[in-house]
């Protein structure tokens, strides 16, 4: 499938050969697919460039140094906006996100182009228990920060963003460049009044033997998320009258089945 307004954007950092499988699956589902290599040192930039040389539907952007997922996404969004794209489906390079659901996510976005389309993860039995339970706190805080704005899962990075509003949100502040990107982007876009569509999709955690890679550091990144939620709660309090007014006027968030 293809559309002149929508592209798939995959940030990648040291994900090994798994990124090639992710890209192949994404390309089977959509055109075009862009990969932003975020300063990888594992040689995957060369592998991806070789793949792009044989596939006009694949573009590879290589950043000189690692700056974080959000920074890589922002770089890709600015490039995409410059070429006339209005929406980007962002997915991880590590194989967790289901490429066979790209079409459904894009269709939901095309039906409601003003909306933020969020994947709502369905976890399998292999999902780490601590990760599944731990995200409940972040999801509860996101619900508080948006006064029930309808964010089904603030941490799941498989989602379709309207490019213009996201660039505007990220360009005004220095945050949202690393693991704080996914939850803060969803909350701040809700604050801007974007409606939310939650679309249930399966989520797969790959083992190390299957090529699974995680760069999440429990100490460092939980501190980052704690600071993020602190500033978002403070921001919610400052916006409370406007958020209450918006909540009264907004339609109920949609969850396609």
């Amino acid at each position: 499938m293809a559309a002149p307004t929508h592209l798939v954007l995959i940030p990648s950092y040291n994900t090994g050969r798994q990124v090639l499988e992710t890209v192949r699956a994404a390309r089977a589902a959509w055109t075009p697919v862009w990969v932003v290599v975020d300063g990888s040192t594992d040689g995957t930039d060369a592998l991806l460039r070789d793949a792009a040389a044989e596939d006009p539907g694949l573009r590879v952007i290589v950043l000189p140094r690692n700056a974080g997922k959000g920074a890589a996404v922002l770089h890709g969004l600015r490039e995409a906006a410059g070429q006339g794209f209005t929406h980007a489906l962002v997915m991880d390079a590590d194989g967790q996100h289901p490429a066979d659901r790209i079409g459904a996510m894009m269709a939901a976005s095309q039906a409601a182009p003003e909306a933020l389309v969020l994947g709502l993860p369905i976890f399998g039995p292999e999902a780490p228990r601590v990760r599944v339970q731990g995200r409940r706190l972040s999801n509860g805080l996101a619900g508080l920060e948006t006064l029930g704005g309808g964010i089904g899962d603030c941490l799941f990075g498989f989602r379709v963003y309207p490019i213009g509003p996201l660039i505007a949100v990220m360009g005004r502040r220095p945050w949202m460049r690393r693991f704080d990107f996914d939850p803060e982007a969803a909350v701040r876009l809700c604050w801007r009044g974007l409606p939310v569509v939650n679309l249930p999709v399966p989520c797969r955690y790959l083992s190390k033997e299957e090529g699974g890679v995680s760069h999440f550091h429990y100490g460092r990144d939980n501190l980052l998320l704690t600071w993020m939620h602190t500033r978002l709660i403070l921001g919610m309090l400052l916006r409370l009258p406007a958020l209450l007014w918006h909540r009264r006027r907004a339609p109920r968030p949609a969850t396609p089945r």
Side-chain angles (χ1 to χ4, degrees):
M1 299 177 66
T5 55
H6 288 60
L7 80 157
V8 173
L9 184 62
I10 305 174
S12 177
Y13 172 66
N14 285 356
T15 44
R17 298 190 68 86
Q18 177 58 47
V19 67
L20 297 177
E21 297 300 320
T22 299
V23 168
R24 289 190 191 103
R27 280 290 296 116
W30 198 260
T31 302
V33 171
W34 289 13
V35 182
V36 181
V37 180
D38 185 25
S40 292
T41 58
D42 62 353
T44 48
D45 56 336
L47 297 176
L48 288 164
R49 280 171 163 157
D50 289 344
E54 300 178 358
D55 181 359
L58 174 63
R59 180 182 177 189
V60 177
I61 301 169
V62 179
L63 304 183
R65 61 184 63 86
N66 177 251
K69 177 181 179 178
V73 169
L74 180 58
H75 186 96
L77 292 175
R78 285 170 169 161
E79 292 270 345
Q83 294 195 22
F85 290 97
T86 59
H87 292 74
L89 183 149
V90 178
M91 65 184 295
D92 290 349
D94 60 6
Q96 284 192 25
H97 298 158
D100 61 354
R101 302 302 176 92
I102 289 175
M105 295 284 287
M106 293 298 205
S109 174
Q110 291 166 332
E114 74 285 359
L116 171 62
V117 180
L118 301 178
L120 187 62
I122 303 171
F123 295 104
E126 81 288 349
R129 186 180 181 87
V130 66
R131 297 289 292 273
V132 175
Q133 292 183 339
R135 69 196 308 120
R136 293 176 182 171
L137 175 60
S138 280
N139 288 334
L141 289 171
L144 171 64
E145 291 151 5
T146 60
L147 302 185
I151 297 173
D153 192 291
C154 69
L155 295 172
F156 195 53
F158 188 63
R159 49 181 62 166
V160 185
Y161 291 103
I163 291 175
L166 183 54
I167 290 176
V169 162
M170 295 186 73
R172 293 174 182 169
R173 50 195 54 84
W175 307 304
M176 306 167 61
R177 299 303 191 262
R178 294 192 177 274
F179 277 106
D180 55 347
F181 165 68
D182 290 316
E184 187 160 355
V187 168
R188 290 191 180 277
L189 288 174
C190 280
W191 286 353
R192 285 179 64 94
L194 271 66
V196 176
V197 175
N198 293 293
L199 195 66
V201 296
C203 175
R204 180 186 178 203
Y205 277 87
L206 277 69
S207 66
K208 289 184 178 180
E209 293 74 21
E210 294 173 303
V213 177
S214 175
H215 299 294
F216 186 84
H217 187 284
Y218 279 90
R220 177 197 65 199
D221 292 319
N222 278 319
L223 284 174
L224 178 69
L225 293 175
T226 298
W227 163 231
M228 177 203 72
H229 282 301
T230 299
R231 65 177 178 263
L232 288 178
I233 289 173
L234 292 174
M236 177 270 292
L237 293 174
L238 291 173
R239 294 171 173 81
L240 191 57
L243 289 173
L244 288 170
W245 181 83
H246 177 71
R247 288 276 72 80
R248 291 184 62 184
R249 295 176 56 87
R252 294 180 64 85
T255 302
R257 297 181 181 275

